[in-house]
């Protein structure tokens, strides 16, 4: 298996050439499985990979969100082989054209990963050596990986809540400049931080201010979930904001800001997924970006 990544400034050309030793069900099937799909697709994709999982295979999920990590771990455990890690990636990117990914804000992009508990096993240290040598990106092996993943989750959820609800003009660098948006963003951040604490996972509140600095430096950046919602595509809003609402109920932690934004956004996602809703768009109209139901421009 080889993975070639050529980074050119803030644009990347990515080529994947995969060779699975021995093929499915082989005793040699001991490569590693990295899940780079959307959160809602992760479980299904992983189950398709079971034939290629050997006893020494590591499974590294890189999805946004936190509740899906438990599912990934349980699926791998049910196989009786392989070893699941906790992980996420930090990159702001968009498809410029097929095979051409433009990224900005996170330079270089990086993967955060580690064990769910305890020190890294020897196989994980081998992965560290590979990621440490990879050009154009960083790999950060963390002893407290869940804390780092929740930190990213808190940021991506709060930023999506504000951006997606406000519209595409609310780029990340604009949020700190508008007091009302910043106040809403901070409220969402603190709600998710409290939820994190309810699980006994570390979240330092000083991280909130550091993320304000990250917002300021992310010129023109928007989250992929926001862009999908604006463009009438299926999104991760339920995996992100929806999971916060559900966990808040389970943990009895109030999350009013996230709940309000989720309630305002979920209809767009359901329309994009073709779900039957009592909302009917007038003839000749369709979902166009941020203006749901706006008539198509005249030819």
């Amino acid at each position: 298996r080889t993975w070639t990544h050529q980074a050119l400034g803030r644009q990347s050309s990515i080529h994947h050439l995969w060779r699975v030793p021995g093929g499915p069900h082989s005793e040699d099937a001991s490569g590693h499985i990295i899940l780079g799909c959307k959160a809602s697709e992760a479980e299904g994709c992983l189950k398709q990979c079971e034939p290629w999982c050997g006893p020494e295979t590591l499974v590294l999920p890189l999805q946004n969100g936190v509740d899906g990590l438990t599912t990934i771990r349980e699926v791998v455990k049910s196989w009786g082989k392989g070893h699941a890690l906790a992980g996420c990636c930090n990159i702001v990117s968009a498809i410029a054209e097929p095979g051409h990914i433009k990224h900005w804000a996170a330079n270089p992009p990086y993967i955060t990963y580690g064990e769910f508990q305890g020190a890294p096993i020897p196989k994980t240290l081998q992965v560290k050596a590979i990621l440490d040598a990879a050009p154009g990106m960083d790999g950060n092996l963390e002893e407290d990986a869940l804390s780092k993943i929740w930190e990213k989750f808190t940021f991506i959820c709060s930023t999506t809540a504000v951006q997606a609800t406000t519209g595409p003009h609310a780029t990340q660098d604009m949020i700190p400049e508008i007091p009302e948006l910043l106040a809403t963003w901070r409220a969402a951040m603190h709600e998710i931080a409290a939820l994190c604490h309810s699980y006994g996972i570390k979240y330092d509140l000083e991280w909130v201010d550091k993320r304000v600095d990250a917002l300021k430096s992310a010129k023109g950046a928007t989250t992929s979930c926001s862009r999908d919602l604006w463009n009438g595509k299926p999104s991760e809003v339920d995996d992100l904001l929806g999971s916060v609402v559900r966990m808040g109920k389970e943990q009895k932690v109030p999350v009013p800001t996230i709940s309000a934004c989720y309630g305002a956004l979920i209809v767009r996602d359901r329309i994009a997924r073709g779900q039957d809703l009592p909302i009917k768009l007038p003839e000749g109209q369709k979902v166009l970006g941020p203006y749901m139901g706006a008539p198509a421009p005249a030819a």
Side-chain angles (χ1 to χ4, degrees):
R1 181 179 71 237
T2 62
W3 176 16
T4 302
H5 178 189
Q6 181 182 9
L8 302 174
R10 292 177 179 240
Q11 303 184 64
S12 302
S13 299
I14 302 175
H15 309 275
H16 297 271
L17 298 172
W18 297 98
R19 180 179 62 82
V20 181
H25 303 295
S26 166
E27 302 242 345
D28 248 352
S30 56
H32 304 309
I33 298 169
I34 299 178
L35 293 174
C37 54
K38 291 288 188 180
S40 60
E41 302 167 339
E43 182 179 359
C45 288
L46 177 59
K47 289 179 177 179
Q48 294 180 53
C49 295
E50 190 273 337
W52 284 273
C53 182
E56 299 299 317
T57 299
L58 293 179
V59 177
L60 175 58
L62 299 178
Q63 285 64 47
N64 290 323
V66 295
D67 60 341
L69 291 172
T70 300
T71 301
I72 298 299
R73 192 180 189 186
E74 290 174 350
V75 169
V76 175
K77 184 177 180 181
S78 72
W79 293 344
K81 57 184 178 179
H83 180 72
L85 298 173
C88 69
C89 60
N90 194 314
I91 184 171
V92 182
S93 62
I95 299 174
E97 59 183 280
H100 182 187
I101 306 299
K102 179 181 179 180
H103 62 87
W104 63 99
N107 191 26
Y110 61 88
I111 291 173
T112 295
Y113 66 104
E115 309 292 342
F116 280 87
Q117 288 181 319
I121 63 173
K123 197 74 173 179
T124 304
L125 293 176
Q126 293 178 16
V127 172
K128 179 182 185 302
I130 294 171
L131 292 179
D132 285 351
M137 59 163 285
D138 289 337
N140 299 331
L141 176 59
E142 301 284 352
E143 291 187 7
D144 194 2
L146 287 179
S147 176
K148 301 298 184 182
I149 292 169
W150 267 89
E151 193 279 330
K152 188 230 174 158
F153 175 66
T154 301
F155 175 75
I156 201 72
C157 277
S158 302
T159 304
T160 294
V162 171
Q163 280 191 332
T165 307
T166 305
H169 40 282
T171 56
Q172 290 187 24
D173 55 309
M174 288 294 99
I175 293 175
E177 301 299 321
I178 302 172
E180 293 85 354
L181 290 185
L182 182 59
T184 303
W185 180 86
R186 282 185 176 275
M189 291 283 286
H190 282 277
E191 289 172 10
I192 304 174
L195 185 59
C196 179
H197 291 157
S198 76
Y199 287 103
I201 297 173
K202 176 185 175 183
Y203 186 98
D204 291 339
L205 293 181
E206 66 184 30
W207 293 346
V208 175
D209 289 331
K210 290 182 179 179
R211 280 297 191 173
V212 173
D213 294 334
L215 287 174
K216 293 177 180 179
S217 65
K219 304 295 185 183
T222 54
T223 67
S224 61
C225 182
S226 297
R227 294 193 299 272
D228 287 341
L229 286 165
W230 298 331
N231 291 310
K233 297 179 180 179
S235 73
E236 292 182 310
V237 68
D238 190 63
D239 302 291
L240 298 176
L241 279 64
S243 69
V244 172
V245 173
R246 292 187 289 273
M247 288 187 288
K249 290 179 179 177
E250 293 171 0
Q251 296 296 104
K252 296 181 170 53
V253 175
V255 289
T257 306
I258 292 293
S259 293
C261 292
Y262 176 67
L265 294 168
I266 189 58
V267 172
R268 291 191 179 199
D269 185 75
R270 290 173 181 167
I271 291 175
R273 294 179 186 278
Q275 297 181 17
D276 289 332
L277 296 172
I279 300 172
K280 302 298 180 184
L281 296 176
E283 185 69 26
Q285 294 188 351
K286 61 180 180 178
V287 178
L288 292 177
Y291 304 105
M292 184 183 300

